[in-house]
């Protein structure tokens, strides 16, 4: 009888030993994959690189590869209509300082995933430094895309990435590509980074004909985090597959890196972007007026380019930023306007005020003054109230419950029914001063959207107000995120700034009471505010914004009823 427990104990101990040995072997395999295998690949890369240089250099020496004139610089490239194809990469060629694509993966991780996913990607950065390029790329892909919805990646690619691509686009290389397109030359992009990260921008903004990149595995509308069975794209092999063995691309542009050298060696003519031409400088940075398309709308919370160091600073600041935002909110909600302005400035909120001349103030008190403001964030009416120093009422089409609760001023919701909204605003004007943002939605860039003309029909006591903001870390607006967090994110910035410029009251001759149409009044005020801020006036509306950024018209269904959302 005593033998059976002993046998059971021995079997249990043996099973534990099996599991322990299994995990030890698994750990040994992982160490081999991450270190030994990586070092082996790096050694082979160095060996192959050296052979490549020896083969192409007449002296059979191996000086630094960035000094070898294997191919002429791209500035010597002369295109003609006899050429049919041009191939290049977006990394290290079209984008400045893009030796590492880490910042763009961070944008996808933070904006398309979550702050936790972004933090994990940041923690992996030291490991990326010791891994070879291909294994490091696979690791970034896994952390960034594992479990990510395909539709979220599409939204980020459409609404977030173009801003950062345009800001880092190499002006000289882009002009060469634009020249190729104008000559009827087919432009093809071959890149090792995931195709889904660059294809939308390349086709929509650069007018390239096709994009070949690393394909990602997905199932059920989600990315698995792994590359497809074809593996990471090898550019020179992809070019051979695309053109076949009997045809070559006419022109190839790349960097001094090994993979780019192999790419352009497949072309009839090869040109390189030197290290100097790939750095940010006055001749390589693309000014806004030369963008392929105007950048009017973009989404996402991050207002900075998330390099590893900048991202680390953001995460170190984040807890303090949340605390600071709560303090700033309490100051604005509970303290009188003059005191809140002073204490707000002490916490880092910079408020610049111009043109506060109250000679236009209505004296008869039969109707209030209508302040017509540009719309930068949900806090526009709050900062105007602090500037004027007296309570105002703000009208909005939709406001989250949280924003309504923390608002220090009275807010009234509109319905987008013109007649009903007109009656509501007319009643509010009879009770006091009113703030309205006729653009109907926010815009981050130096553009003004089309003004609704409804406000011009209500009163001739109109005061235009030019408002602008500046942030360095987080944007206080979103089209697809949680709008209730908009004020929090804005106040989390280390030194957010608001510029408020109160213009003179419109004379009666310039209002509907003076014979002007409501559309003429709205257009006049839009132009006046645009001139005051140095902004460009457009005919774009909130519908255009949401169609571009969120893929909808800014309408969500709520229990069978259409509900407009505003930002």
């Amino acid at each position: 009888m005593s033998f059976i427990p002993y046998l059971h104990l021995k079997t249990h101990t043996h099973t534990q030993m099996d599991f322990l040995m299994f995990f030890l072997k698994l750990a040994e395999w992982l160490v081999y994959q991450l270190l030994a295998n990586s070092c082996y690949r790096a050694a082979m890369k160095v060996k192959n690189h050296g052979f490549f240089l020896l083969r192409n250099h007449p002296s059979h020496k191996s000086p630094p590869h960035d000094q070898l004139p294997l191919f002429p610089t791209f500035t010597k490239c002369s295109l003609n209509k006899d050429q049919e194809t041009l191939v290049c990469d977006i990394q290290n060629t079209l984008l400045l300082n893009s030796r590492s694509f880490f910042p763009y993966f961070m944008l996808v991780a933070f904006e398309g995933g979550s702050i936790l996913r972004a933090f994990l990607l940041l923690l992996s950065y030291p490991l990326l430094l010791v891994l070879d390029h291909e294994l490091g790329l696979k690791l970034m892909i896994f952390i960034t895309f594992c479990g990510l919805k395909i539709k979220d990646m599409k939204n980020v690619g459409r609404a977030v990435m173009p801003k950062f691509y345009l800001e880092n686009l190499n002006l000289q290389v882009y002009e060469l590509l634009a020249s190729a397109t104008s000559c009827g030359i087919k432009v093809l992009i071959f890149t090792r980074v995931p195709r889904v990260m660059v294809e939308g921008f390349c086709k929509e903004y650069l007018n390239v004909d096709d994009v070949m990149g690393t394909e990602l595995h997905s199932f059920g509308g989600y990315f698995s985090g792994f590359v497809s069975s074809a593996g990471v794209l090898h550019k020179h092999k992809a070019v051979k597959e695309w053109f076949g063995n009997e045809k070559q691309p006419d022109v190839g542009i790349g960097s001094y890196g090994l993979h780019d050298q192999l790419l352009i060696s497949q072309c009839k003519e090869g040109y390189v972007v030197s290290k100097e031409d790939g750095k940010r400088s006055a001749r390589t940075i693309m000014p806004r007026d030369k963008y392929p398309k105007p950048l009017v709308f973009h989404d996402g919370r991050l207002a900075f380019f998330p390099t590893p160091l900048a991202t680390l600073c953001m995460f170190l600041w984040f807890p303090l930023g949340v605390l600071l935002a709560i303090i700033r909110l309490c100051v604005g909600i509970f303290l009188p306007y003059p005191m809140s302005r002073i204490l707000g400035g002490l916490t880092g909120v910079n408020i610049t005020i111009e043109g506060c001349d109250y000679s236009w103030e209505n004296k008869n008190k039969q109707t209030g003054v209508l302040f017509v403001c540009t719309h930068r964030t949900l806090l526009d009416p709050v900062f105007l109230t602090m500037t004027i120093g007296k309570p105002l009422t703000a009208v909005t089409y939709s406001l989250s419950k949280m924003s309504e609760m923390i608002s220090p001023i009275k807010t009234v919701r509109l319905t987008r029914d013109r007649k009903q909204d007109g009656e509501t605003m007319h009643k509010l004007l009879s009770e006091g001063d009113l703030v309205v943002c006729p653009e109907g939605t926010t815009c981050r860039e130096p553009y003004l959207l089309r003004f609704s003309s409804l406000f011009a029909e209500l009163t001739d006591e109109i005061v235009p107000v030019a408002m602008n903001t500046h942030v360095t870390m987080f944007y206080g607006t979103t089209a697809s995120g949680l709008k209730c967090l908009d004020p929090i994110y804005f106040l989390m910035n280390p030194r957010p700034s608001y510029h408020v410029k109160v213009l003179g009251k419109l004379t009666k001759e310039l209002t509907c009471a003076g014979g002007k149409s409501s559309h003429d009044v709205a257009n006049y005020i839009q132009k006046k505010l645009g001139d005051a801020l140095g902004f460009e006036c457009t005919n774009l509306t909130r519908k255009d914004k949401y169609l571009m950024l969120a893929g909808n018209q800014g309408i969500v269904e709520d229990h069978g009823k259409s509900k407009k959302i505003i930002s």
Side-chain angles (χ1 to χ4, degrees):
M1 296 293 291
S2 61
F3 177 72
I4 295 177
Y6 171 75
L7 180 61
H8 177 73
L9 178 61
K10 185 176 181 180
T11 304
H12 180 69
T13 304
H14 188 267
T15 303
Q16 287 181 329
M17 290 298 294
D18 287 342
F19 274 110
L20 180 60
M21 291 302 297
F22 169 77
F23 283 116
L24 286 174
K25 289 183 178 180
L26 179 61
E28 181 184 7
W29 179 83
L30 286 174
V31 170
Y32 170 77
Q33 288 293 322
L34 295 180
L35 296 178
N37 196 26
S38 177
C39 293
Y40 170 76
R41 293 185 182 184
M44 291 302 295
K45 181 189 293 186
V46 172
K47 178 182 177 183
N48 293 334
H49 197 180
F51 173 75
F52 179 78
L53 295 177
L54 287 171
R55 187 184 64 181
N56 287 278
H57 197 268
S59 64
H60 293 279
K61 296 180 180 180
S62 55
H65 63 273
D66 58 344
Q67 298 178 5
L68 292 177
L70 299 178
F71 298 98
T73 177
F74 76 96
T75 55
K76 297 181 180 180
C77 178
S78 178
L79 300 174
N80 58 73
K81 293 185 177 181
D82 294 332
Q83 296 166 328
E84 297 181 356
T85 53
L86 182 150
V87 300
C88 70
D89 192 356
I90 188 170
Q91 186 179 9
N92 292 329
T93 305
L94 273 168
L95 296 179
L96 298 168
N97 295 335
S98 57
R99 182 179 180 86
S100 171
F101 227 68
F102 178 90
Y104 300 99
F105 279 98
M106 179 58 70
L107 285 170
V108 177
F110 188 93
E111 306 291 3
S114 64
I115 191 170
L116 177 60
R117 186 189 294 269
F119 185 65
L120 291 175
L121 182 60
L122 179 64
L123 290 179
S124 73
Y125 184 72
L127 187 59
L128 297 175
L129 296 177
V130 301
L131 296 178
D132 76 307
H133 183 272
E134 184 168 328
L135 198 56
L137 180 62
K138 288 182 178 180
L139 180 59
M140 284 195 294
I141 290 174
F142 181 78
I143 297 175
T144 303
F145 287 94
C146 182
L148 185 70
K149 292 182 179 179
I150 295 178
K151 70 173 185 178
D152 289 340
M153 177 61 236
K154 290 182 178 179
N155 289 338
V156 172
R158 177 179 60 244
V160 179
M161 305 294 280
K163 170 186 180 292
F164 296 94
Y165 285 141
L166 288 171
E167 290 177 348
N168 291 279
L169 196 61
N170 191 317
L171 173 61
Q172 294 177 307
V173 179
Y174 166 72
E175 289 177 340
L176 181 61
L177 262 65
S179 175
T181 303
S182 64
C183 292
I185 299 175
K186 181 181 290 188
V187 178
L188 306 173
I189 300 293
F190 291 84
T191 181
R192 292 167 64 86
V193 302
R195 178 182 55 82
V196 294
M197 291 180 63
V198 298
E199 183 177 35
F201 171 77
C202 289
K203 289 187 174 181
E204 183 175 352
Y205 285 84
L206 306 183
N207 294 320
V208 304
D209 294 277
D210 207 351
V211 178
M212 276 63 67
T214 299
E215 298 292 340
L216 303 184
H217 179 262
S218 63
F219 62 93
Y222 292 83
F223 291 106
S224 66
F226 298 100
V227 299
S228 67
S229 57
V232 175
L233 182 132
H234 294 276
K235 291 179 281 190
H236 62 289
K237 294 181 180 179
V239 168
K240 282 186 176 180
E241 292 177 3
W242 177 269
F243 289 92
N245 295 326
E246 299 181 356
K247 193 174 182 182
Q248 287 181 293
D250 292 294
V251 180
I253 305 174
S255 67
Y256 278 108
L258 172 63
H259 296 287
D260 279 1
Q261 294 285 300
L262 292 173
L263 168 66
I264 59 182
S265 66
Q266 306 291 324
C267 307
K268 297 177 182 177
E269 298 179 20
Y271 301 91
V272 293
V273 179
S274 66
K275 284 188 175 182
E276 289 300 318
D277 290 330
K279 293 180 179 179
R280 298 182 65 85
S281 64
R283 59 190 175 86
T284 59
I285 296 176
M286 177 170 288
R288 176 179 289 274
D289 59 352
K290 291 189 177 182
Y291 280 0
K293 293 175 58 177
L295 182 67
V296 181
F297 302 122
H298 58 88
D299 204 9
R301 292 293 189 186
L302 296 183
F304 64 96
F305 189 55
T307 61
L309 181 58
T311 306
L312 175 62
C313 293
M314 184 268 290
F315 276 106
L316 293 175
W317 171 260
F318 203 91
L320 180 60
V322 173
L323 178 62
L324 194 58
I326 295 173
I327 294 174
R328 289 166 173 171
L329 276 175
C330 293
V331 167
I333 293 173
F334 298 112
L335 296 182
Y337 301 132
M339 190 177 296
S340 64
R341 277 173 52 183
I342 296 174
L343 291 181
L346 293 176
T347 63
V349 180
N350 181 29
I351 306 176
T352 306
I353 302 171
E354 289 185 53
C356 282
D357 180 9
Y358 295 98
S359 60
W360 44 259
E361 187 173 3
N362 195 0
K363 303 297 183 181
N364 57 29
K365 301 298 182 182
Q366 294 179 358
T367 180
V369 174
L370 180 63
F371 293 92
V372 180
C373 302
T374 55
H375 201 9
R376 310 309 282 179
T377 76
L378 289 174
L379 298 175
D380 293 338
V382 177
F383 279 93
L384 178 60
T385 299
M386 294 171 61
T387 301
I388 300 299
K390 62 179 183 178
L392 302 173
T393 301
V395 290
T396 178
Y397 291 108
S398 181
L399 198 66
S400 68
K401 291 292 184 181
M402 179 178 175
S403 299
E404 199 168 12
M405 287 173 57
I406 65 177
S407 175
I409 64 174
K410 179 182 178 182
T411 58
V412 178
R413 297 192 184 195
L414 300 180
T415 62
R416 291 198 181 274
D417 181 290
R418 191 177 182 86
K419 181 179 180 182
Q420 184 177 345
D421 291 343
E423 293 174 354
T424 300
M425 294 171 67
H426 192 275
K427 180 181 178 182
L428 292 172
L429 277 171
S430 66
E431 299 172 355
D433 296 338
L434 188 64
V435 184
V436 63
C437 299
E439 289 176 278
T441 188
T442 57
C443 182
R444 299 172 177 176
E445 298 300 315
Y447 296 94
L448 293 183
L449 308 187
R450 190 176 69 192
F451 277 28
S452 169
S453 60
L454 176 60
F455 72 90
E457 303 171 3
L458 304 177
T459 180
D460 57 350
E461 298 288 332
I462 301 175
V463 178
V465 181
M467 307 194 76
N468 195 18
T469 63
H470 177 71
V471 295
T472 56
M473 191 169 287
F474 302 109
Y475 285 114
T477 60
T478 181
S480 56
L482 294 175
K483 297 182 180 298
C484 61
L485 297 180
D486 285 357
I488 303 295
Y489 269 106
F490 178 82
L491 296 175
M492 281 175 61
N493 284 281
R495 286 191 60 82
S497 65
Y498 242 97
H499 178 74
V500 182
K501 186 174 183 179
V502 182
L503 307 183
K505 190 185 78 169
L506 260 65
T507 60
K508 187 175 181 179
E509 292 76 16
L510 295 174
T511 65
C512 291
K516 299 288 184 179
S517 69
S518 60
H519 294 286
D520 290 338
V521 175
N523 291 337
Y524 172 78
I525 294 179
Q526 183 198 34
K527 185 178 185 305
K528 190 172 183 180
L529 291 174
D531 292 340
L533 294 170
F535 287 4
E536 181 179 340
C537 299
T538 73
N539 285 321
L540 298 172
T541 65
R542 66 179 302 277
K543 180 180 178 181
D544 299 313
K545 171 183 173 179
Y546 280 93
L547 282 174
M548 177 181 176
L549 299 184
N552 57 56
Q553 298 184 18
I555 303 174
V556 295
E557 297 297 327
D558 184 19
H559 301 295
K561 298 180 180 180
S562 292
K563 177 183 176 182
K564 302 271 186 178
I565 54 178
I566 187 77
S567 68

